[in-house]
């Protein structure tokens, strides 16, 4: 059985919980207190951060790597594209999400208002740029839910919590967000703390 060490409010842990639920498999989630991390976590992850996935003698950290492993190990439903070209493009987009969106999330852990305001602006601008995609398709890669949707969903869920407001032209993205949030498996993957992040 797989064990996921997960922080209850961490968007990266949230990603991994979504994939585990999508795969409908046996797994155990161990909640990690971000302010009081166990020595176990320090041993398993060189960065001392969740999520960490443990399966027998395999220990993985970094949410996208964990999720690709789960997808390879349990291919139904497949979340990464089967075609090598599409898979490479998907990996590039996953990388761009980290570089253009998720790298700004740490700003909300601090108290520097200027840094937080800048992060809000950059995230809102980058999300608005991708919004037109959803005028033509249901999900990031077309009609099928994929790893790209998994990767971005935790950020979209936290927009209100982070004080990020999107302009009118981002309406297609907000409709897409609601499609993600209405998936029963997305709801199942939420921790109690995440459920109260959105009113």
């Amino acid at each position: 059985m797989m064990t996921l060490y997960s922080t209850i409010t961490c968007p990266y842990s949230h990603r991994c919980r979504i994939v585990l639920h999508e795969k409908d498999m046996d797994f155990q989630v161990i909640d990690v207190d971000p302010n009081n991390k166990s020595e176990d976590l320090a041993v398993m992850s060189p960065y001392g951060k969740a999520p960490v996935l443990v399966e027998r003698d395999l220990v993985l950290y970094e949410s996208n790597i964990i999720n690709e492993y789960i997808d390879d190990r349990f291919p139904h439903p497949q979340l990464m594209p089967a075609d090598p070209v599409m898979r490479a493009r998907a990996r590039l987009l996953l990388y761009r999400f980290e570089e253009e969106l998720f790298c700004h999330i740490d700003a909300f852990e601090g108290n520097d208002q200027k840094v937080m305001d800048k992060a809000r602006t950059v995230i809102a601008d980058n999300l608005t740029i991708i919004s037109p995609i959803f005028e033509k398709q249901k999900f990031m890669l077309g009609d099928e839910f994929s790893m790209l949707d998994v990767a971005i969903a935790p950020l979209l869920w936290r927009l209100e919590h982070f004080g990020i407001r999107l302009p009118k032209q981002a309406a297609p993205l907000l409709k897409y967000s609601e499609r993600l949030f209405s998936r029963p498996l997305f709801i199942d993957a939420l921790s109690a703390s995440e459920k109260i992040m959105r009113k």
Side-chain angles (χ1 to χ4, degrees):
M1 188 199 289
M2 290 183 171
T3 301
L4 181 73
Y5 290 80
S6 160
T7 311
I8 53 174
T9 55
C10 155
Y12 303 102
S13 295
H14 188 181
R15 279 178 180 171
C16 296
R17 282 185 264 116
I18 293 169
V19 168
L20 287 166
H21 280 278
E22 286 288 335
K23 299 290 183 178
D24 188 26
M25 45 185 272
D26 272 346
F27 62 90
Q28 176 188 17
V29 174
I30 294 177
D31 291 331
V32 175
D33 180 348
N35 304 313
N36 185 20
K37 289 173 186 154
S38 67
E39 284 174 26
D40 286 2
L41 196 65
V43 171
M44 291 185 290
S45 165
Y47 306 106
K49 290 197 284 197
V52 172
L53 184 82
V54 179
E55 188 184 28
R56 297 193 192 90
D57 56 354
L58 176 71
V59 178
L60 293 175
Y61 46 91
E62 211 290 311
S63 62
N64 287 333
I65 293 170
I66 291 171
N67 283 347
E68 274 214 56
Y69 169 73
I70 297 169
D71 197 43
D72 287 341
R73 183 105 166 61
F74 299 92
H76 302 292
Q78 192 165 32
L79 295 173
M80 281 296 274
D83 173 63
V85 172
M86 286 300 290
R87 186 181 283 251
R89 285 188 180 140
R91 285 196 181 113
L92 265 184
L93 282 169
L94 290 170
Y95 179 74
R96 286 186 64 184
F97 288 169
E98 302 311 296
E99 294 295 306
E100 295 169 21
L101 296 168
F102 281 81
C103 66
H104 300 287
I105 285 177
D106 286 351
F108 304 110
E109 311 255 312
N111 299 312
D112 188 327
Q113 207 54 52
K114 268 188 177 168
V115 172
M116 283 196 262
D117 286 343
K118 186 178 178 219
R120 286 186 185 108
T121 303
V122 173
I123 291 171
D125 288 350
N126 282 322
L127 287 174
T128 304
I129 287 165
I130 62 172
S131 185
I133 295 170
F134 304 107
E135 288 171 4
K136 298 186 182 77
Q137 58 194 51
K138 273 175 71 175
F139 296 110
M140 279 279 172
L141 291 179
D143 289 337
E144 297 297 319
F145 181 81
S146 77
M147 198 66 85
L148 294 174
D149 304 299
V150 168
I152 204 167
L155 172 60
L156 299 176
W157 182 257
R158 288 162 173 74
L159 291 180
E160 201 177 301
H161 180 70
F162 291 151
I164 298 166
R165 287 184 178 78
L166 297 180
K168 281 199 179 94
Q169 57 266 45
L173 179 101
L174 293 172
K175 280 188 182 152
Y176 158 72
S177 300
E178 293 307 324
R179 274 197 294 282
L180 295 180
F181 304 157
S182 65
R183 291 172 67 82
L185 295 169
F186 178 88
I187 296 161
D188 291 347
L190 290 167
S191 68
S193 301
E194 283 163 344
K195 281 179 182 160
I196 59 173
M197 277 181 177
R198 291 180 98 239
K199 295 174 188 66

